[in-house]
């Protein structure tokens, strides 16, 4: 892959495209307004019809490749289990084909699935170790749920975050949660990401939010860490989402170039903690502190998203208005509270200064029921979960032309 990238990417740049510094696989041609994304030996292009077709012709001259497919209402596209299709109401991303394949590959019979309405309904309580065959099944299934959670199914992100904590020591409780998640996928497989289009649809705008759950996960391997969640939506479609309680705090850091990592850390610092000598996120005495740490983590991720959005020709997201449901966290960001239980946080740290930089970001109060990031931090009951999920996902069965054979 590295040699192929060293061959393909310079050729793309020779065609007038500028490679992203924060996302090296994104290319934008400011003259033709064509945007390209590469994934190993696959390319996707977006832009005016004629320049896109001219680029595809030049690509076919330089490399041996299949004829391009164009996304239309009659022609869906499939890429790594993600099915894109269009209707008069907009563009959809469905994982229905992948879910059907997952259930088949796991050797499960969906006719025996009882209906479930949430991907996770209870914590792990049975820590009996699995047999080697059961552990192999658990790891395979968790990996498939993970792929769904990072592509077109944000409703699975929190569930996967909880289940994957047991990969080092697979147990019966985690296996039961995995099977529950697979059943949920089957009963909700027609859920899609959707970007609405049409004359009656208002112009799309960015909506950013974050949330935390203070030490709500009491499973022993979690060590009382708070769960942090964030969501970035553009128009009606989620673009970036996260749910984590891990040592790696910036979810996008592993995909950033060294320059991008340095740019984020130069503004926010590294891990948001109460004191610079503390190496990692830690349990805290107040929910407000957990919300503040979550806001800092979200800020780093949203900054990276803004850089990429700018490099792709859409302009920066500035300032970053982040919705939170904790008034004390907002007061802390505005440096207008007495800090009471927050006095242990050293405000000289870069991440604190970033949260208080009005030119960079602003925390906005949203009601708990309106904070969509709530879904990424805790186990919700069916009614609350569906109310939040249905504000970011749409139920639309795959068209016949898009169904896998």
């Amino acid at each position: 892959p590295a040699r192929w990238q060293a061959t393909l990417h310079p050729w793309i740049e020779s065609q007038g495209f500028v490679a992203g510094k924060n996302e090296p696989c994104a290319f934008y041609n400011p003259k033709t307004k064509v945007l390209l994304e590469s994934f190993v030996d696959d390319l996707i292009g977006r832009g005016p019809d004629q320049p896109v077709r001219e680029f595809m012709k030049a690509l076919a001259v330089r490399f041996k490749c299949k004829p391009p497919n164009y996304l239309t209402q009659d022609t869906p596209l499939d890429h790594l289990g993600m099915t894109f299709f269009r209707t008069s109401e907009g563009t959809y991303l469905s994982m229905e084909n992948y879910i059907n394949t997952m259930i088949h590959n796991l050797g499960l019979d969906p006719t025996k699935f009882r209906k479930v309405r949430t991907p996770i309904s209870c914590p792990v309580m049975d820590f009996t170790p699995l047999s080697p065959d059961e552990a192999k099944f658990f790891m395979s299934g968790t990996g498939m749920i993970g792929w769904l959670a990072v592509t077109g199914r944000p409703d699975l992100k929190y569930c996967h975050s909880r289940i994957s904590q047991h990969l080092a020591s697979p147990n019966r409780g985690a296996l039961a949660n995995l099977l529950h998640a697979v059943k949920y996928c089957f009963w909700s497989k027609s859920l899609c990401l959707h970007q609405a289009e049409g004359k009656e649809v208002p112009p799309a705008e960015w909506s950013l939010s974050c949330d935390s759950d203070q030490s709500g996960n009491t499973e022993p391997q979690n060590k009382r860490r708070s769960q942090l969640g964030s969501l970035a939506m553009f128009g009606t479609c989620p673009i970036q989402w996260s749910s984590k309680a891990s040592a790696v705090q910036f979810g996008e850091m592993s995909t950033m170039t060294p320059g991008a990592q340095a740019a984020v850390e130069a503004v926010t610092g590294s891990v948001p903690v109460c004191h610079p000598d503390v190496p990692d996120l830690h349990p805290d005495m107040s929910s407000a502190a957990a919300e503040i740490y979550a806001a800092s983590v979200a800020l780093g991720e949203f900054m990276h998203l803004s850089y990429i959005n700018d490099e792709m020709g859409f302009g920066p997201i500035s300032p970053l208005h982040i919705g939170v449901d904790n008034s004390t966290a907002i007061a802390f960001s505005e440096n207008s509270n007495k800090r009471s239980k927050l006095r242990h946080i050293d405000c000289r740290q870069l991440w604190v200064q970033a949260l208080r930089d009005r030119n960079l970001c602003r925390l906005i109060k949203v009601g708990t029921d309106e904070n969509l990031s709530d879904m990424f931090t805790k186990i919700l009951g069916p009614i609350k979960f569906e109310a939040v999920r249905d504000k970011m996902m749409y139920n639309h069965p795959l068209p016949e032309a898009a169904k896998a054979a």
Side-chain angles (χ1 to χ4, degrees):
R3 291 183 178 180
W4 168 241
Q5 179 176 317
T7 302
L8 176 65
H9 286 193
W11 180 84
I12 293 177
E13 293 182 78
S14 74
Q15 303 301 301
F17 288 84
V18 179
K21 301 298 183 183
N22 298 283
E23 177 46 77
C25 293
F27 302 84
Y28 181 66
N29 189 321
K31 182 178 180 180
T32 63
K33 309 300 182 186
V34 173
L35 171 66
L36 294 176
E37 297 273 356
S38 70
F39 185 84
V40 192
D41 58 351
D42 291 320
L43 278 177
I44 186 170
R46 177 187 184 277
D49 184 70
Q50 183 177 350
V52 169
R53 292 182 183 274
E54 290 176 353
F55 172 81
M56 293 300 175
K57 289 180 181 178
L59 182 71
V61 171
R62 173 61 181 82
F63 300 100
K64 183 179 179 180
C65 50
K66 297 178 180 179
N69 296 316
Y70 294 90
L71 180 63
T72 69
Q73 292 192 26
D74 298 321
T75 311
L77 298 179
D78 178 81
H79 180 62
L80 299 175
M82 297 176 283
T83 304
F84 299 86
F85 64 93
R86 299 192 68 181
T87 71
S88 58
E89 298 177 342
T91 303
Y92 296 80
L93 190 168
S94 171
M95 301 300 293
E96 184 173 339
N97 284 333
Y98 184 90
I99 290 171
N100 289 333
T101 302
M102 173 183 70
I103 294 172
H104 176 268
N105 289 345
L106 290 174
L108 300 175
D109 182 1
T111 63
K112 298 180 180 179
F113 288 174
R114 66 178 180 85
K115 188 169 185 178
V116 296
R117 296 169 58 187
T118 62
I120 184 171
S121 62
C122 65
V124 169
M125 293 178 283
D126 183 354
F127 295 92
T128 304
L130 297 179
S131 69
D133 287 343
E134 289 173 327
K136 182 178 179 180
F137 176 93
F138 174 75
M139 292 181 181
S140 179
T142 301
M144 294 177 188
I145 294 294
W147 179 247
L148 288 166
V150 300
T151 50
R153 295 299 299 263
D155 52 330
L156 296 171
K157 187 63 175 177
Y158 175 67
C159 161
H160 178 258
S161 175
R162 292 281 295 251
I163 295 174
S164 62
Q165 289 189 14
H166 299 275
L167 285 171
S169 300
N171 54 69
R172 295 202 176 280
L175 177 60
N177 278 2
L178 170 65
L179 292 172
H180 183 96
V182 173
K183 293 173 185 177
Y184 168 78
C185 290
F186 173 76
W187 288 107
S188 64
K189 61 184 176 182
S190 59
L191 284 174
C192 305
L193 301 187
H194 172 232
Q195 190 63 276
E197 300 175 11
K199 295 181 180 179
E200 304 301 322
V201 178
E205 296 182 353
W206 284 99
S207 173
L208 312 175
S209 66
C210 67
D211 192 32
S212 74
D213 182 52
Q214 185 201 7
S215 307
N217 182 356
T218 60
E219 295 172 11
Q221 85 291 334
N222 190 57
K223 300 178 181 178
R224 285 286 181 175
R225 292 173 297 174
S226 296
Q227 190 79 15
L228 312 181
S230 66
L231 172 68
M233 291 186 65
F234 185 66
T236 57
C237 185
I239 302 298
Q240 177 179 288
W241 53 89
S242 69
S243 178
K244 61 176 74 70
S246 66
V248 180
Q249 299 311 319
F250 292 98
E252 302 296 331
M253 278 294 192
S254 62
T255 65
M256 292 186 197
T257 62
Q261 293 181 24
V264 171
E265 290 189 350
V267 177
T268 65
S270 53
V271 180
V273 290
C274 65
H275 188 275
D277 289 342
V278 177
D280 193 13
L281 274 181
H282 46 78
D284 213 293
M285 65 182 74
S286 74
S287 59
E291 294 279 357
I292 291 166
Y293 299 145
S296 177
V297 171
L299 174 59
E301 294 180 340
F302 295 152
M303 286 172 60
H304 185 230
L305 176 64
S306 177
Y307 302 155
I308 295 174
N309 197 64
D310 191 23
E311 291 179 342
M312 291 169 66
F314 301 119
I317 311 169
S318 180
L320 297 164
H321 290 167
I322 305 174
V324 300
D325 55 19
N326 186 287
S327 298
T328 304
I330 295 175
F332 179 86
S333 74
E334 296 174 347
N335 197 18
S336 61
N337 64 337
K338 296 180 181 179
R339 292 197 294 126
S340 58
K341 290 185 178 181
L342 303 178
R343 281 178 287 183
H344 61 295
I345 299 178
D346 187 346
C347 295
R348 295 172 296 181
Q349 297 179 91
L350 284 176
W351 70 265
V352 177
Q353 299 306 312
L355 278 180
R356 292 177 171 178
D357 186 343
R358 297 279 72 82
N359 294 321
L360 179 63
C361 76
R362 182 178 292 274
L363 302 189
I364 306 297
K365 183 70 167 68
V366 297
T368 301
D369 292 339
E370 299 301 317
N371 189 350
L372 303 189
S373 292
D374 196 42
M375 186 175 74
F376 303 115
T377 61
K378 58 185 69 72
I379 297 175
L380 301 176
I383 295 176
K384 176 67 180 293
F385 175 81
E386 291 175 344
V388 174
R389 180 199 66 190
D390 293 349
K391 291 179 181 178
M392 67 177 79
M393 302 189 72
Y394 292 76
N395 199 317
H396 195 301
L398 273 180
E400 286 299 322
K403 292 183 178 180

Short mmCIF file of all heavy atoms in Angstrom, two decimals, residues 145-192:
data_model
loop_
_atom_site.label_atom_id
_atom_site.label_comp_id
_atom_site.label_asym_id
_atom_site.label_seq_id
_atom_site.Cartn_x
_atom_site.Cartn_y
_atom_site.Cartn_z
N ILE A 145 -19.15 -5.58 14.62
CA ILE A 145 -19.92 -4.49 15.22
C ILE A 145 -19.09 -3.20 15.19
O ILE A 145 -19.62 -2.11 14.96
CB ILE A 145 -20.33 -4.85 16.66
CG1 ILE A 145 -21.32 -6.01 16.68
CG2 ILE A 145 -20.93 -3.63 17.37
CD1 ILE A 145 -22.67 -5.70 16.06
N GLY A 146 -17.79 -3.35 15.40
CA GLY A 146 -16.91 -2.19 15.36
C GLY A 146 -16.89 -1.52 14.00
O GLY A 146 -16.88 -0.29 13.90
N TRP A 147 -16.88 -2.33 12.92
CA TRP A 147 -16.91 -1.76 11.58
C TRP A 147 -18.22 -1.01 11.33
O TRP A 147 -18.23 0.10 10.78
CB TRP A 147 -16.71 -2.84 10.53
CG TRP A 147 -16.76 -2.34 9.12
CD1 TRP A 147 -17.71 -2.60 8.18
CD2 TRP A 147 -15.81 -1.47 8.48
NE1 TRP A 147 -17.42 -1.96 6.99
CE2 TRP A 147 -16.26 -1.25 7.15
CE3 TRP A 147 -14.64 -0.85 8.91
CZ2 TRP A 147 -15.56 -0.44 6.26
CZ3 TRP A 147 -13.94 -0.04 8.01
CH2 TRP A 147 -14.42 0.15 6.71
N LEU A 148 -19.32 -1.58 11.77
CA LEU A 148 -20.60 -0.89 11.64
C LEU A 148 -20.58 0.43 12.41
O LEU A 148 -21.09 1.45 11.93
CB LEU A 148 -21.72 -1.78 12.17
CG LEU A 148 -22.12 -2.99 11.32
CD1 LEU A 148 -22.98 -3.95 12.11
CD2 LEU A 148 -22.84 -2.54 10.05
N ALA A 149 -19.98 0.41 13.61
CA ALA A 149 -20.01 1.58 14.49
C ALA A 149 -19.20 2.75 13.96
O ALA A 149 -19.48 3.90 14.31
CB ALA A 149 -19.51 1.20 15.88
N VAL A 150 -18.20 2.50 13.11
CA VAL A 150 -17.37 3.60 12.60
C VAL A 150 -17.71 3.99 11.17
O VAL A 150 -17.11 4.91 10.63
CB VAL A 150 -15.86 3.24 12.69
CG1 VAL A 150 -15.46 2.97 14.11
CG2 VAL A 150 -15.52 2.06 11.79
N THR A 151 -18.67 3.29 10.55
CA THR A 151 -19.02 3.62 9.16
C THR A 151 -20.40 4.27 9.08
O THR A 151 -20.49 5.49 9.00
CB THR A 151 -18.96 2.36 8.28
OG1 THR A 151 -19.72 1.30 8.91
CG2 THR A 151 -17.53 1.90 8.08
N GLY A 152 -21.45 3.46 9.14
CA GLY A 152 -22.78 4.02 8.94
C GLY A 152 -23.76 3.81 10.07
O GLY A 152 -24.95 4.10 9.92
N ARG A 153 -23.28 3.32 11.24
CA ARG A 153 -24.19 3.05 12.34
C ARG A 153 -23.69 3.68 13.65
O ARG A 153 -23.19 3.00 14.54
CB ARG A 153 -24.39 1.55 12.50
CG ARG A 153 -25.09 0.87 11.34
CD ARG A 153 -26.51 1.41 11.11
NE ARG A 153 -27.35 1.19 12.27
CZ ARG A 153 -28.20 0.17 12.39
NH1 ARG A 153 -28.31 -0.72 11.40
NH2 ARG A 153 -28.94 0.05 13.46
N PRO A 154 -23.84 4.99 13.80
CA PRO A 154 -23.41 5.63 15.05
C PRO A 154 -24.18 5.13 16.27
O PRO A 154 -23.68 5.24 17.40
CB PRO A 154 -23.68 7.12 14.79
CG PRO A 154 -24.68 7.15 13.69
CD PRO A 154 -24.37 5.97 12.83
N ASP A 155 -25.37 4.56 16.05
CA ASP A 155 -26.15 4.05 17.17
C ASP A 155 -25.49 2.85 17.85
O ASP A 155 -25.90 2.46 18.95
CB ASP A 155 -27.57 3.68 16.72
CG ASP A 155 -27.59 2.75 15.52
OD1 ASP A 155 -26.66 2.81 14.69
OD2 ASP A 155 -28.55 1.96 15.38
N LEU A 156 -24.45 2.27 17.22
CA LEU A 156 -23.74 1.14 17.79
C LEU A 156 -22.43 1.53 18.48
O LEU A 156 -21.75 0.69 19.05
CB LEU A 156 -23.43 0.10 16.71
CG LEU A 156 -24.63 -0.58 16.04
CD1 LEU A 156 -24.16 -1.40 14.85
CD2 LEU A 156 -25.37 -1.45 17.04
N LYS A 157 -22.08 2.80 18.43
CA LYS A 157 -20.76 3.22 18.89
C LYS A 157 -20.57 2.99 20.39
O LYS A 157 -19.54 2.46 20.83
CB LYS A 157 -20.54 4.71 18.56
CG LYS A 157 -19.14 5.21 18.83
CD LYS A 157 -18.10 4.50 17.98
CE LYS A 157 -16.73 5.09 18.18
NZ LYS A 157 -15.70 4.37 17.42
N TYR A 158 -21.54 3.38 21.21
CA TYR A 158 -21.41 3.19 22.65
C TYR A 158 -21.40 1.72 23.00
O TYR A 158 -20.61 1.25 23.82
CB TYR A 158 -22.54 3.91 23.39
CG TYR A 158 -22.52 3.66 24.88
CD1 TYR A 158 -21.49 4.16 25.66
CD2 TYR A 158 -23.54 2.92 25.49
CE1 TYR A 158 -21.47 3.93 27.03
CE2 TYR A 158 -23.52 2.69 26.86
CZ TYR A 158 -22.49 3.19 27.63
OH TYR A 158 -22.47 2.96 28.98
N CYS A 159 -22.29 0.98 22.37
CA CYS A 159 -22.36 -0.47 22.59
C CYS A 159 -21.00 -1.12 22.31
O CYS A 159 -20.49 -1.92 23.10
CB CYS A 159 -23.45 -1.06 21.70
SG CYS A 159 -23.35 -2.83 21.43
N HIS A 160 -20.40 -0.77 21.19
CA HIS A 160 -19.10 -1.35 20.83
C HIS A 160 -18.02 -0.93 21.82
O HIS A 160 -17.14 -1.72 22.18
CB HIS A 160 -18.70 -0.94 19.41
CG HIS A 160 -17.36 -1.47 19.00
ND1 HIS A 160 -16.22 -0.69 18.99
CD2 HIS A 160 -16.96 -2.71 18.62
CE1 HIS A 160 -15.19 -1.41 18.61
NE2 HIS A 160 -15.60 -2.64 18.38
N SER A 161 -18.07 0.32 22.26
CA SER A 161 -17.08 0.78 23.23
C SER A 161 -17.13 -0.05 24.51
O SER A 161 -16.09 -0.41 25.07
CB SER A 161 -17.33 2.26 23.56
OG SER A 161 -16.45 2.71 24.58
N ARG A 162 -18.34 -0.39 24.96
CA ARG A 162 -18.49 -1.19 26.18
C ARG A 162 -18.04 -2.64 25.95
O ARG A 162 -17.29 -3.20 26.74
CB ARG A 162 -19.95 -1.17 26.64
CG ARG A 162 -20.46 0.17 27.14
CD ARG A 162 -20.00 0.45 28.56
NE ARG A 162 -20.53 -0.47 29.54
CZ ARG A 162 -21.45 -0.15 30.45
NH1 ARG A 162 -21.95 1.08 30.48
NH2 ARG A 162 -21.85 -1.04 31.36
N ILE A 163 -18.50 -3.24 24.85
CA ILE A 163 -18.19 -4.65 24.60
C ILE A 163 -16.70 -4.86 24.36
O ILE A 163 -16.10 -5.83 24.84
CB ILE A 163 -19.01 -5.17 23.42
CG1 ILE A 163 -20.50 -5.17 23.75
CG2 ILE A 163 -18.57 -6.58 23.02
CD1 ILE A 163 -21.40 -5.54 22.58
N SER A 164 -16.08 -3.96 23.61
CA SER A 164 -14.68 -4.14 23.23
C SER A 164 -13.73 -4.06 24.43
O SER A 164 -12.57 -4.48 24.33
CB SER A 164 -14.27 -3.12 22.17
OG SER A 164 -14.39 -1.80 22.68
N GLN A 165 -14.18 -3.51 25.56
CA GLN A 165 -13.33 -3.50 26.75
C GLN A 165 -13.05 -4.91 27.26
O GLN A 165 -12.15 -5.10 28.07
CB GLN A 165 -14.00 -2.68 27.85
CG GLN A 165 -14.01 -1.18 27.60
CD GLN A 165 -14.49 -0.39 28.81
OE1 GLN A 165 -14.56 -0.92 29.91
NE2 GLN A 165 -14.80 0.86 28.60
N HIS A 166 -13.81 -5.90 26.77
CA HIS A 166 -13.66 -7.27 27.25
C HIS A 166 -12.89 -8.16 26.27
O HIS A 166 -12.85 -9.37 26.45
CB HIS A 166 -15.04 -7.88 27.53
CG HIS A 166 -15.81 -7.15 28.58
ND1 HIS A 166 -15.66 -7.40 29.92
CD2 HIS A 166 -16.72 -6.15 28.49
CE1 HIS A 166 -16.46 -6.60 30.62
NE2 HIS A 166 -17.11 -5.82 29.77
N LEU A 167 -12.30 -7.56 25.24
CA LEU A 167 -11.56 -8.37 24.27
C LEU A 167 -10.36 -9.06 24.90
O LEU A 167 -9.98 -10.16 24.48
CB LEU A 167 -11.11 -7.49 23.10
CG LEU A 167 -12.20 -7.09 22.10
CD1 LEU A 167 -11.68 -6.05 21.12
CD2 LEU A 167 -12.73 -8.31 21.36
N ALA A 168 -9.75 -8.43 25.88
CA ALA A 168 -8.58 -9.05 26.53
C ALA A 168 -8.98 -10.25 27.40
O ALA A 168 -8.19 -11.18 27.57
CB ALA A 168 -7.83 -8.02 27.37
N SER A 169 -10.19 -10.21 27.93
CA SER A 169 -10.67 -11.31 28.79
C SER A 169 -12.13 -11.59 28.45
O SER A 169 -13.05 -11.22 29.19
CB SER A 169 -10.54 -10.93 30.27
OG SER A 169 -9.19 -10.67 30.61
N PRO A 170 -12.38 -12.24 27.32
CA PRO A 170 -13.77 -12.51 26.89
C PRO A 170 -14.52 -13.32 27.94
O PRO A 170 -13.98 -14.26 28.53
CB PRO A 170 -13.59 -13.30 25.60
CG PRO A 170 -12.22 -12.96 25.11
CD PRO A 170 -11.40 -12.76 26.34
N ASN A 171 -15.75 -12.94 28.18
CA ASN A 171 -16.55 -13.62 29.20
C ASN A 171 -18.00 -13.76 28.72
O ASN A 171 -18.40 -13.19 27.71
CB ASN A 171 -16.49 -12.84 30.51
CG ASN A 171 -16.87 -11.39 30.34
OD1 ASN A 171 -18.03 -11.06 30.09
ND2 ASN A 171 -15.89 -10.48 30.46
N ARG A 172 -18.79 -14.51 29.48
CA ARG A 172 -20.15 -14.83 29.06
C ARG A 172 -21.05 -13.59 29.04
O ARG A 172 -21.94 -13.47 28.20
CB ARG A 172 -20.74 -15.91 29.97
CG ARG A 172 -20.01 -17.23 29.86
CD ARG A 172 -20.87 -18.40 30.31
NE ARG A 172 -20.16 -19.66 30.11
CZ ARG A 172 -20.08 -20.28 28.95
NH1 ARG A 172 -20.65 -19.75 27.87
NH2 ARG A 172 -19.43 -21.44 28.85
N GLY A 173 -20.83 -12.69 29.98
CA GLY A 173 -21.64 -11.48 29.99
C GLY A 173 -21.41 -10.63 28.75
O GLY A 173 -22.36 -10.11 28.14
N ALA A 174 -20.15 -10.49 28.34
CA ALA A 174 -19.83 -9.72 27.14
C ALA A 174 -20.37 -10.41 25.89
O ALA A 174 -20.84 -9.75 24.95
CB ALA A 174 -18.32 -9.52 27.03
N LEU A 175 -20.29 -11.75 25.86
CA LEU A 175 -20.83 -12.50 24.72
C LEU A 175 -22.34 -12.29 24.62
O LEU A 175 -22.88 -12.12 23.52
CB LEU A 175 -20.51 -13.98 24.87
CG LEU A 175 -21.07 -14.91 23.79
CD1 LEU A 175 -20.55 -14.52 22.41
CD2 LEU A 175 -20.72 -16.36 24.10
N ALA A 176 -23.03 -12.30 25.76
CA ALA A 176 -24.47 -12.06 25.74
C ALA A 176 -24.79 -10.67 25.20
O ALA A 176 -25.74 -10.49 24.42
CB ALA A 176 -25.04 -12.23 27.15
N ASN A 177 -23.97 -9.67 25.58
CA ASN A 177 -24.18 -8.32 25.07
C ASN A 177 -23.92 -8.25 23.56
O ASN A 177 -24.60 -7.52 22.84
CB ASN A 177 -23.28 -7.34 25.81
CG ASN A 177 -23.88 -6.90 27.13
OD1 ASN A 177 -24.95 -7.36 27.53
ND2 ASN A 177 -23.18 -6.03 27.84
N LEU A 178 -22.91 -8.99 23.10
CA LEU A 178 -22.64 -9.02 21.66
C LEU A 178 -23.82 -9.61 20.89
O LEU A 178 -24.25 -9.05 19.88
CB LEU A 178 -21.38 -9.84 21.39
CG LEU A 178 -21.10 -10.16 19.91
CD1 LEU A 178 -20.82 -8.89 19.13
CD2 LEU A 178 -19.97 -11.16 19.77
N LEU A 179 -24.36 -10.73 21.35
CA LEU A 179 -25.49 -11.35 20.67
C LEU A 179 -26.71 -10.43 20.69
O LEU A 179 -27.47 -10.36 19.72
CB LEU A 179 -25.82 -12.69 21.33
CG LEU A 179 -24.76 -13.79 21.14
CD1 LEU A 179 -25.09 -15.00 21.99
CD2 LEU A 179 -24.64 -14.17 19.68
N HIS A 180 -26.88 -9.70 21.79
CA HIS A 180 -27.96 -8.72 21.86
C HIS A 180 -27.78 -7.64 20.80
O HIS A 180 -28.74 -7.25 20.12
CB HIS A 180 -27.98 -8.10 23.26
CG HIS A 180 -29.11 -7.13 23.48
ND1 HIS A 180 -30.30 -7.49 24.08
CD2 HIS A 180 -29.23 -5.81 23.16
CE1 HIS A 180 -31.10 -6.44 24.14
NE2 HIS A 180 -30.47 -5.41 23.59
N ALA A 181 -26.53 -7.18 20.63
CA ALA A 181 -26.24 -6.15 19.63
C ALA A 181 -26.51 -6.66 18.21
O ALA A 181 -27.02 -5.92 17.36
CB ALA A 181 -24.79 -5.68 19.76
N VAL A 182 -26.15 -7.91 17.94
CA VAL A 182 -26.40 -8.48 16.61
C VAL A 182 -27.89 -8.57 16.34
O VAL A 182 -28.36 -8.26 15.23
CB VAL A 182 -25.74 -9.88 16.50
CG1 VAL A 182 -26.14 -10.56 15.20
CG2 VAL A 182 -24.22 -9.76 16.59
N LYS A 183 -28.66 -8.94 17.35
CA LYS A 183 -30.12 -8.99 17.18
C LYS A 183 -30.68 -7.59 16.90
O LYS A 183 -31.56 -7.41 16.04
CB LYS A 183 -30.78 -9.56 18.44
CG LYS A 183 -30.46 -11.03 18.68
CD LYS A 183 -31.00 -11.50 20.03
CE LYS A 183 -30.59 -12.94 20.33
NZ LYS A 183 -31.04 -13.38 21.67
N TYR A 184 -30.16 -6.62 17.61
CA TYR A 184 -30.59 -5.23 17.35
C TYR A 184 -30.28 -4.82 15.92
O TYR A 184 -31.10 -4.18 15.24
CB TYR A 184 -29.90 -4.29 18.34
CG TYR A 184 -30.06 -2.83 17.97
CD1 TYR A 184 -31.24 -2.15 18.24
CD2 TYR A 184 -29.03 -2.14 17.34
CE1 TYR A 184 -31.39 -0.82 17.89
CE2 TYR A 184 -29.16 -0.81 16.99
CZ TYR A 184 -30.35 -0.15 17.27
OH TYR A 184 -30.50 1.17 16.90
N CYS A 185 -29.09 -5.19 15.44
CA CYS A 185 -28.72 -4.86 14.06
C CYS A 185 -29.72 -5.47 13.07
O CYS A 185 -30.11 -4.81 12.10
CB CYS A 185 -27.31 -5.36 13.75
SG CYS A 185 -25.99 -4.47 14.58
N PHE A 186 -30.10 -6.71 13.32
CA PHE A 186 -31.05 -7.36 12.41
C PHE A 186 -32.39 -6.63 12.38
O PHE A 186 -32.94 -6.38 11.31
CB PHE A 186 -31.26 -8.81 12.84
CG PHE A 186 -32.35 -9.51 12.08
CD1 PHE A 186 -32.13 -9.95 10.77
CD2 PHE A 186 -33.60 -9.73 12.64
CE1 PHE A 186 -33.15 -10.58 10.06
CE2 PHE A 186 -34.61 -10.36 11.95
CZ PHE A 186 -34.39 -10.79 10.64
N TRP A 187 -32.89 -6.28 13.54
CA TRP A 187 -34.20 -5.63 13.60
C TRP A 187 -34.16 -4.16 13.19
O TRP A 187 -35.22 -3.55 12.98
CB TRP A 187 -34.78 -5.77 15.00
CG TRP A 187 -35.22 -7.17 15.31
CD1 TRP A 187 -34.61 -8.06 16.15
CD2 TRP A 187 -36.35 -7.86 14.76
NE1 TRP A 187 -35.28 -9.26 16.17
CE2 TRP A 187 -36.36 -9.16 15.32
CE3 TRP A 187 -37.35 -7.50 13.86
CZ2 TRP A 187 -37.34 -10.10 15.00
CZ3 TRP A 187 -38.33 -8.44 13.54
CH2 TRP A 187 -38.31 -9.72 14.10
N SER A 188 -32.98 -3.59 13.06
CA SER A 188 -32.87 -2.17 12.68
C SER A 188 -32.01 -1.99 11.43
O SER A 188 -31.49 -0.91 11.20
CB SER A 188 -32.28 -1.37 13.84
OG SER A 188 -30.95 -1.78 14.12
N LYS A 189 -31.88 -3.04 10.64
CA LYS A 189 -30.91 -3.01 9.53
C LYS A 189 -31.25 -2.00 8.45
O LYS A 189 -30.39 -1.63 7.66
CB LYS A 189 -30.76 -4.39 8.92
CG LYS A 189 -32.03 -4.99 8.32
CD LYS A 189 -31.77 -6.40 7.83
CE LYS A 189 -33.03 -7.07 7.30
NZ LYS A 189 -32.76 -8.46 6.87
N SER A 190 -32.48 -1.50 8.40
CA SER A 190 -32.83 -0.52 7.37
C SER A 190 -32.56 0.91 7.81
O SER A 190 -32.86 1.85 7.07
CB SER A 190 -34.30 -0.67 6.98
OG SER A 190 -35.15 -0.49 8.10
N LEU A 191 -31.98 1.10 9.00
CA LEU A 191 -31.62 2.45 9.43
C LEU A 191 -30.46 2.96 8.58
O LEU A 191 -29.50 2.24 8.30
CB LEU A 191 -31.22 2.46 10.90
CG LEU A 191 -32.35 2.38 11.92
CD1 LEU A 191 -31.78 2.24 13.32
CD2 LEU A 191 -33.26 3.60 11.84
N CYS A 192 -30.53 4.23 8.19
CA CYS A 192 -29.52 4.82 7.30
C CYS A 192 -29.08 6.18 7.82
O CYS A 192 -29.80 6.85 8.57
CB CYS A 192 -30.10 5.04 5.90
SG CYS A 192 -30.80 3.60 5.09
#
